[in-house]
Amino acid sequence: MDFEKLFLAIEKIVVDSREDCSSALFVPIRGEKVDGHRFIPMAISHGAKEIFTEEDFSDLGKQYPDVHFHRVENTLAALQDFGAYCRRRYRGKLIGVTGSVGKTTTREMIATALSSEKTVFQTKGNANSQIGVPITLFHMAKEEREISVIEMGVSIPGEMEKLARMASVDMAVFTNIGTAHLENMQTKENTCFEKMHILMGENRTVHLYLPKKDLILSVLDEKKIYEMGFLGGKREEREGSVKGSSEEEERIHLKLSFYEKANIPLSVPGEHMQENAGIALLLSKELGVSEEAAKKALFTFTGLPGRGEKIRTKKGITILDDSYNASPDSMKASLHVLSAEKGGRKIAVLGDMNELGRDELLLHREIGEELRKLSIDALFTLGEKSKEIWKGLGEKKIPGEACTSLSALTEAVKDEVREGDIVLFKASHSLSLSTVINKLLEEE
């Protein structure tokens, strides 16, 4: 397939046939329940002119002679190959951000700091998956900015190496190694090993940035990473190794740096935000952005919707919207932010945390144990697993309610909150706590 010709012919990549497909490459993905090939006619009706397909659509091709059908063995693999081609076209510096939690906010703060004096591209929204990353690489190559900051997320073993071989990052940033996705990863050590595959791109020199406070990442050094099988440590197991080449030729040259919190004025609260600022300032310095410009830019960052955004309502209620997702580590961090807020009553609205594996009930109970230490005036929970939070409170009594439905939770919270209250919303995305926030705002 002529990727060069395809790259020049399109302006975007679409995987949802309901979208505008004009000037787009349509990629039908086979899912567990739905096969995107069924919607190729719809994509054509919405303007698609370039289409990947695993099936023979020659009859449809006769009906639409101006549509180019690219026959491939696997549409997702073809999309990823195209993403790798787009990466090779790009001449700027590429920063990859991974970790258990906080990737999106960290990526945004790095981009904010760098944008003060450089042209910067970053992942749009949450496109950090096996599908999202190749689409991101395409747009990155099209925009041709000086620096790109992309997010790389994985939830099962084997995913990061595919992303890494597409992206071939120049700089790799870890936010942390936590308890997210333990259902598939089983242990934090497995999570660390999986995410360390971010080093396995085509670049032979990679600068790795690790948080100094993380218990697992802080003890790593080049020798330990080499022994894990990266940097050419286990040559016989490395896919694509060339027989007869020297170990020096195959070895990835690693520059390892540790970062810590910045302690600078920010518009968003929390120690984790200061850590994000720390890596943003370090990268800014190394990429030629002045410290003063980077600090000013970071002060303008006010959080992202669903990821720590602070909303003040007309009725004088402060909402801490951290409803997009949750893990035990991020929930504890958010509760500390709430506890440290100055003002009226502090109310926590928490929901189930998913994909935690066999210890999920224990991990929910630990949230209650953490709440014992904090200044929280009321607690509302949603979901069966979140009932364990109440058990973790032990003898500590906090007003509130354990709800089993969104409607019940919405009514309970609406009846409770009043002027001056500070209300935190935090749960896994599937709990839809943003619905409760929207109901509160509608009341205005």
Side-chain angles (χ1 to χ4, degrees), residues 359-375:
D359 293 328
E360 62 179 9
L361 297 182
L362 173 63
L363 292 168
H364 281 81
R365 208 171 305 138
E366 287 179 357
I367 300 299
E369 293 170 1
E370 193 73 17
L371 275 166
R372 290 187 212 167
K373 314 169 191 174
L374 303 175
S375 175

Side-chain angles (χ1 to χ4, degrees), residues 317-321 338 347 349 413 417 421-425:
I317 300 165
T318 300
I319 294 172
L320 303 180
D321 181 6
L338 174 63
I347 301 172
V349 182
V413 172
V417 297
D421 287 348
I422 305 160
V423 190
L424 167 70
F425 290 84

Side-chain angles (χ1 to χ4, degrees), residues 113-125:
L114 293 172
S115 295
S116 61
E117 293 183 345
K118 302 285 185 180
T119 59
V120 179
F121 170 87
Q122 65 167 313
T123 300
K124 304 294 189 295

Side-chain angles (χ1 to χ4, degrees), residues 386-413:
S386 290
K387 290 178 180 178
E388 296 294 316
I389 296 175
W390 292 93
K391 293 180 182 178
L393 284 170
E395 296 181 359
K396 181 171 183 175
K397 304 300 181 185
I398 297 180
E401 185 177 340
C403 301
T404 56
S405 70
L406 259 180
S407 58
L409 177 69
T410 301
E411 292 306 313
V413 172

Side-chain angles (χ1 to χ4, degrees), residues 281-293:
L281 289 176
L282 179 56
L283 288 172
S284 296
K285 178 181 178 181
E286 297 194 356
L287 293 171
V289 174
S290 70
E291 183 177 357
E292 182 182 1

Side-chain angles (χ1 to χ4, degrees), residues 43 48 132 135 228 271 275 310 367 372:
I135 294 175
M228 289 167 72
E271 187 173 316
E275 288 167 3
K310 184 179 283 191
I367 300 299
R372 290 187 212 167

Side-chain angles (χ1 to χ4, degrees), residues 200-214:
M200 299 184 71
E202 292 182 2
N203 283 343
R204 307 323 300 154
T205 301
V206 181
H207 196 151
L208 176 63
Y209 299 84
L210 303 177
K212 201 169 188 179
K213 70 167 286 185
D214 188 274

